[in-house]
Amino acid sequence: LMAFRLGLRAARAPADIVITSSPSMFLAPVCWLLARTKSGKFVWDVRDVGWEYAGESRMASRRIEPLLTVLQRYMWFVMRRADLIVAATPGIAELLSQRIARSKKVLLIGNSVTSELRDAFKVCQERVAKPRPLVAYVGLIGDAQGLAVLVDVAEKLPSTDFMIVGEGPERDQLERRIAELRLRNVR
């Protein structure tokens, strides 16, 4: 639903190029259709290939395996139609190049920190006094992230503070677990 809402909002503006980044993988098909309706180019920045390992989730069952197969085929269908694919890692770039017909469309722009960026961050090295150690997670709160393990660790380390920041399909379940355990060291 999020992908469709964003697509509808973006449909109001003109565009020569539509760029999306996954996750969320469901943005890619919507953005591909959006680019084509606008006679524009479609660029997909691929940070992971979640559709390939969706069946490995503990939530997957034999009943949904055919649906996952359709999802995988559809995502590769959209991938082959992208005008340009940007891969975040060499492994993703290799997989994408193997799976699509024209590997020249795959551009590797890695997740990296340059020495220039590292040097620029030196101005941010001010130490902030904290009474206790702090562990922070910022990102998607989903099954694949395994944040239940972080909650279990927080229960075993009451003298350490934990902060979880994000949204996702597992957030409510994670909040219930934190409340059940009455953890005061998790925000």
Side-chain angles (χ1 to χ4, degrees):
L1 290 174
M2 174 196 69
F4 285 112
R5 282 194 299 249
L6 290 171
L8 287 173
R9 189 175 290 170
R12 299 178 195 148
D16 295 319
I17 302 172
V18 177
I19 304 171
T20 189
S21 183
S22 58
S24 162
M25 69 179 148
F26 298 111
L27 285 170
V30 170
C31 289
W32 168 63
L33 290 171
L34 184 62
R36 294 308 179 247
T37 60
K38 294 177 175 290
S39 299
K41 300 290 185 182
F42 171 58
V43 178
W44 189 354
D45 175 43
V46 181
R47 302 277 137 185
D48 76 23
V49 287
W51 62 90
E52 280 298 295
Y53 52 79
E56 297 173 11
S57 168
R58 63 181 162 84
M59 296 170 52
S61 69
R62 291 219 182 269
R63 291 185 316 199
I64 65 166
E65 281 180 10
L67 183 60
L68 293 175
T69 300
V70 169
L71 173 66
Q72 288 173 339
R73 288 182 181 157
Y74 185 63
M75 297 309 287
W76 286 112
F77 171 86
V78 172
M79 181 73 64
R80 285 188 299 275
R81 280 146 185 84
D83 296 296
L84 176 65
I85 301 164
V86 177
T89 67
I92 291 174
E94 184 178 338
L95 174 68
L96 300 179
S97 293
Q98 290 171 355
R99 294 290 302 263
I100 61 175
R102 299 180 320 191
S103 62
K104 65 181 180 185
K105 309 196 292 193
V106 178
L107 178 65
L108 174 62
I109 301 178
N111 289 330
S112 62
V113 175
T114 65
S115 58
E116 280 181 338
L117 181 61
R118 190 179 60 243
D119 291 344
F121 280 141
K122 286 182 180 176
V123 299
C124 301
Q125 291 182 344
E126 177 185 337
R127 290 284 181 186
V128 177
K130 298 184 293 289
R132 299 158 41 110
L134 172 66
V135 175
Y137 170 84
V138 179
L140 179 68
I141 302 175
D143 181 55
Q145 287 68 40
L147 294 174
V149 172
L150 190 63
V151 172
D152 292 342
V153 171
E155 182 181 27
K156 293 178 180 6
L157 297 174
S159 62
T160 300
D161 290 323
F162 292 79
M163 182 183 330
I164 301 171
V165 181
E167 293 292 334
E170 299 289 317
R171 182 179 171 132
D172 290 343
Q173 182 178 344
L174 198 64
E175 287 178 342
R176 282 193 299 276
R177 176 90 170 116
I178 292 165
E180 286 170 8
L181 294 173
R182 296 187 177 133
L183 296 178
R184 298 187 190 281
N185 61 331
V186 181
R187 288 183 294 156

